[in-house]
Amino acid sequence: MTTRRVLANAIRALAMDAVEKANSGHPGMPMGMADIAEVLWNDFLQFNPGNPKWPNRDRFVLSNGHGSMLQYAALHLSGFDLPMSELERFRQWHSKTPGHPEAADTVGVETTTGPLGQGIANSVGFALAEKLLAQHFNRPGHDIVDHRTYVFAGDGCLMEGVSHEAASLAGTWKLGKLVLVYDDNKISIDGEVEGWFTDDTAKRFDAYGWNVIGPIDGHDAEAVKQAFVQANAQSEKPTIIICKTIIGFGAPNKEGKEEAHGSALGKSEVAAARDMLDWRYPPFVIPDEIYAAWDKKKIGAEREKKWNDAFAKYQAEYPELAAEFVRRTASELPKDWASKSQAFVEKMQADGPDVASRKASQMTLDAFGPLLPELIGGSADLAPSNLTMWKGSKTITGPDGNYVHYGVREFGMSAIANGVALYGGLLPYDGTFLVFSDYARNAVRMSCLIPAHVIHVYTHDSIGLGEDGPTHQPIEHISSLRLIPNNRLWRPCDAAESAVSWKVAVERKGKPSCLIFSRQTLKHQQRTAQQLADIQRGAYVLSDPADTKFKAIIIATGSEVELAMEAARTLAQQNIPVRVVSMPCTEEFDAQPAEYREAILPGWCRARVAVEAANADFWGKYVGLDGAVIGMTTFGASAPAPILFEKFGFTVAHVVDTVKKVIG
């Protein structure tokens, strides 16, 4: 007889077998949450294995991603294109079943999880995106955006501070279609958590404005089912279902213990668990009747067809809205984007305003915002300072809102933005001071790893912010963000470069960017049409001697480009010709063909000086052993910006002297 417990045991067996074969992994959580997963996947979760990207599917997020075999087993059993051979290759080179769920590797995985707590924040982003798109596109009798987000999480997720930030916002935003299942097994790697985690979770989430269900017995399928029914019966509050479970359920000598958490059970314990669970099948063998009970290919196709039929009626009645929905869910930019965005870039070059790049960023948003209805902005309580609000910004508390006030929650903001981006149909950007990117950095890293099309806006980019002093003056942050693979960090030197950085970031489909803007005013630089076009290549020649060969190259970014240009003019008066290279995005420059890179930084010229009011060590690969770097090697200080630049050596005289030394 195929009972619910037998269906759940299929997850337990696959988790045991995969971890045992890999001799690596976490069997305890999948075994403990198997009964909950079986109820969710078989009775509630709406999806189509034949089309994992069906727009109106429910989203499932495994925040406690170390228990990845639970998700892989459920995907395999329900009919996704994840064959048993991939489960047998769990945690192996180039398998589709990595140690933690990765959206780029495994069909049906919505987001990459692993760093605990961020899956909760991603799920808040999914639920927020669903609510925003429903408000925008749904019409009476046409609920084309209407589904739920479910997230599994454990003790570790709730201990991480990012869960507090995200859960607080979810309650404030009344994300009633978000359901969090808390695996309350009281065990972490160090043992029983009662020594370090005594929070009253129910009261905590009640205080956030959540609907709290439980504690319930997470191994009682009927109790779990009724909890989901209760959660889905209301729409005003997100719901947490607190489930008491036994980690490693079914392993007689290790269940309920930390030994079941993060390592293979061992052959003898796996055999004992098979006896205890009455699972009489060899490793990686699932009987046909169990497959048949789990299979969702037919019902999934029927669900999608029903939605497609409803969408066809919507399309007939609201053709423009339907076309916009299709465009946005396909992550395609508007047809007039390319021409209009380029026209604005050219206007910024022609107008030549001397403004802080944070102001140039806002001017660009004023121009680009009306072109991009999918644009969703936000800031961690600093909108008046980082100028992330534009003329068309509307707080999301109302219909068609497009701006999120995240409060002082940099980490939660960035992780939520990742979820919004992954959901589709929206292009999120967030904002804070650059120095506070430290709070958000792991979520930025996840933007790059997943990857997710998020634009992270950071202002007050150097000691140039002045009197607030070293606590607010970023030193190592630009270099730190540049080190993240798959990132693109832009530090523009004026309004034109600022506009280009926004344009390129918007067009970087499916991948993130960090835009770094100044507090202080930056002088406009003159350019030819070719120089303007070359900005997007990450580096270009901004100035060359007119009639002679240059003897040195000054490389600069941001506010230091103006300094480099002044130094070049002074050197020219002393008959020392130099080239000035503006390098707003080192990663983009590094990705250019070798011929272009050689044309900008020719190998024959080893007299090079890099100038950037940030960590000096980064620039060695561009200046070489014969060059020099004018940068920061200490923290900043509290003083007006002009004084700081002088005291830390960012002066024309110092650049001139340094160039002379490298030439000599």
Side-chain angles (χ1 to χ4, degrees), residues 317-334:
E317 191 167 348
Y318 302 99
E320 292 183 2
L321 274 176
E324 178 70 1
F325 181 83
V326 170
R327 178 190 72 78
R328 287 169 60 170
T329 54
S331 299
E332 300 293 341
L333 290 170

Side-chain angles (χ1 to χ4, degrees), residues 344 348 353 355-356 358-368 495:
F344 177 75
M348 286 287 260
V355 294
R358 62 170 174 162
K359 180 60 180 176
S361 168
Q362 187 180 53
M363 294 164 68
T364 304
L365 282 169
D366 283 336
F368 287 178

